[in-house]
Amino acid sequence: ALRPSAEEAASAVAGEDAAATLDDVARRAMSVFLHLAGEEGSGEAMVAAGVVPALLGHLDLARPGPMRAAMAVLLRLAIAAPGVAGPATREACPAVGALLGALGSPDADLAQQSMMLLAVISQDAAVGAAMREGGAVPLIMGFLDAPSPLRQQQALEICGNLCENSEAGSLAMLNCGGLMKVVALLSARAVVVQIAAVRALGYLASGGEKMAAAVLAVGCIDTLIALLASPLEDLRENSARALYYLSLSGLCRGPIVNARGVPAIVMVLGSDSPATQKYALRALQQLCEGDAAVRRQAVEAEALPQLVGLLSSPDEEVKALSSYTLMGFSRDDAENRGVVLNLGGIAAFVSLLQHHEKTIRHKAAEMLHVFCDEEAGREGLRGCSGVPVLVRALEQALETRDHSLAGNLTGALAHLTRD
């Protein structure tokens, strides 16, 4: 019934209403699909049945009624079943021109629905590329000056999606004056706009050295650091993300440190959000790498208790990042090793030897190898009954021929034989 050429199907659905047009029939079918798209399991069935390409056939500006109905179903489908709808949205690439055209439609509902749909499907890299090629960047930039906070928010979300890990997208945004507009919205009165602006800036910063230099030049690092103290988790998370991407550039690490960014980043390690913690941990790693003075700043800001505490996080990636970061603080610093030892770090690393993630087991073994080189570390290992755990972990490493893990465990046990 969605296919205008399928007259037999249209007649069957129309039933007794012989006067029903094919558009009428299509809208009725889409009304049913709109309800189904939100039902558990129905989204997968709709994608498998080929509903997406049938809906895309109705993205025609000359027929605004069916187009509105089709976009409503596509939007609900993309939100309710992202796992299966994601690949299907790539079929929307040829229809990007119609969606971009609808943004300028005098039909306010049609323009709004198009903006909402583009904000969702632009998360797909293929759709994002098609949008950039279709001239979306300058068009979307115009909406950043819209009087409606909702329009600004959606435009910022699209900007972020088009720039995420895309140097081409970030440079296109820079060349049309987008960076200055995004930075101006960091202090927007509407919180949803402010959050979207920080998110977009973070993805702009992921566009390589040129973008990092441009972000540094507009002077918004202090603003991002200040936002880490916001009571809103979304602002903290997106600010941490932006600072992480900026910390990847050697141009920005010094200014972040000089603006007291390290204590602010350490503070958000205590966030309740694993996403915020991950970006903060990554940023801290970048800033502290090979710089003893920066590590001292972090230690003075109480980074070590936070890092040891995160070793017991329920989030596996947070555990791994905490292990890596602690290694950087402890490998060549006896004083830091002593602090970690007093905080119960040895027991935490021993428990991680049985972790199901290989990378976490390896990092735990590497840390224990380092700690057992000193008498205090060996005493800490014995004090938490860690020696039998090391022996069992070594047996398992030998059985699985994990030579790297076995090497660190053997080294730790060898240190124990000094006593």
Side-chain angles (χ1 to χ4, degrees):
L2 290 177
R3 298 187 176 96
S5 60
E7 295 186 12
E8 297 85 355
S11 176
V13 174
E16 297 178 1
D17 188 358
T21 65
L22 291 176
D23 277 358
D24 291 334
V25 172
R27 280 198 294 269
R28 293 178 192 178
M30 284 187 272
S31 177
V32 176
F33 280 130
L34 183 62
H35 291 290
L36 286 174
E39 297 291 332
E40 185 176 356
S42 294
E44 291 84 345
M46 288 170 62
V47 171
V51 171
V52 172
L55 290 167
L56 294 174
H58 289 277
L59 299 185
D60 181 355
L61 289 169
R63 298 163 53 239
M67 185 173 181
R68 276 197 301 271
M71 286 195 294
V73 181
L74 287 167
L75 180 61
R76 183 170 292 184
L77 186 61
I79 294 172
V84 292
T89 57
R90 291 168 198 160
E91 300 177 40
C93 291
V96 161
L99 291 172
L100 293 175
L103 293 177
S105 170
D107 184 327
D109 289 340
L110 187 68
Q112 178 62 24
Q113 278 189 302
S114 181
M115 180 73 88
M116 292 172 65
L117 182 57
L118 285 168
V120 174
I121 66 174
S122 59
Q123 297 176 51
D124 182 89
V127 175
M131 288 177 63
R132 288 193 296 270
E133 292 169 7
V137 172
L139 182 61
I140 298 299
M141 286 297 96
F143 287 100
L144 294 182
D145 299 321
S148 164
L150 178 60
R151 279 294 180 94
Q152 290 180 318
Q153 177 195 4
Q154 291 167 340
L156 285 164
E157 288 174 356
I158 295 173
C159 290
N161 294 340
L162 295 181
C163 295
E164 185 177 3
N165 297 318
S166 169
E167 185 173 2
S170 295
L171 291 176
M173 207 76 69
L174 178 65
N175 292 336
C176 69
L179 176 60
M180 293 301 296
K181 289 187 175 185
V182 171
V183 170
L185 292 173
L186 292 178
S187 55
R189 294 180 65 182
V191 174
V192 291
V193 175
Q194 189 180 27
I195 291 170
V198 178
R199 175 183 178 273
L201 182 62
Y203 286 135
L204 274 164
S206 71
E209 286 289 323
K210 289 182 180 179
M211 281 308 304
V215 172
L216 180 62
V218 298
C220 59
I221 285 179
D222 286 343
T223 301
L224 290 171
I225 292 172
L227 287 173
L228 290 176
S230 167
L232 298 176
E233 191 63 59
D234 283 342
L235 280 175
R236 292 198 295 270
E237 177 186 333
N238 285 292
S239 298
R241 177 195 283 118
L243 288 167
Y244 161 62
Y245 282 126
L246 290 171
S247 71
L248 296 174
S249 167
L251 293 171
C252 296
R253 285 194 282 271
I256 291 173
V257 171
N258 293 338
R260 298 293 295 166
V262 172
I265 290 169
V266 170
M267 177 188 67
V268 296
L269 292 177
S271 165
D272 292 331
S273 164
T276 304
Q277 292 170 337
K278 291 171 195 176
Y279 286 119
L281 285 164
R282 292 187 183 111
L284 190 62
Q285 282 181 351
Q286 293 295 325
L287 296 172
C288 292
E289 182 68 30
D291 194 322
V294 177
R295 287 197 295 272
R296 280 196 297 275
Q297 275 193 37
V299 170
E300 289 169 3
E302 300 295 322
L304 295 180
Q306 295 273 25
L307 291 169
V308 172
L310 290 176
L311 292 175
S312 57
S313 166
D315 187 283
E316 306 302 343
E317 191 175 355
V318 170
K319 283 182 182 176
L321 288 168
S322 302
S323 300
Y324 301 150
T325 309
L326 272 172
M327 176 60 79
F329 278 92
S330 304
R331 181 185 288 280
D332 301 315
D333 193 313
E335 184 176 350
N336 285 348
R337 288 197 295 274
V339 174
V340 173
L341 182 66
N342 291 334
L343 290 168
I346 291 284
F349 283 116
V350 167
S351 68
L352 292 176
L353 288 176
Q354 302 300 317
H355 199 274
H356 64 273
E357 286 283 341
K358 181 178 179 180
T359 54
I360 294 179
R361 293 197 302 272
H362 277 238
K363 191 56 62 176
E366 190 176 354
M367 286 293 291
L368 290 169
H369 187 181
V370 171
F371 273 94
C372 286
D373 190 36
E374 297 170 334
E375 183 177 354
R378 296 192 292 273
E379 289 178 357
L381 183 66
R382 286 191 291 266
C384 70
S385 303
V387 177
V389 180
L390 256 71
V391 172
R392 286 195 299 273
L394 176 58
E395 290 172 346
Q396 292 168 359
L398 293 172
E399 288 173 4
T400 58
R401 298 186 178 182
D402 189 335
H403 302 300
S404 176
L405 180 60
N408 277 312
L409 292 169
T410 302
L413 291 167
H415 289 322
L416 287 168
T417 63
R418 297 179 186 176
D419 301 328

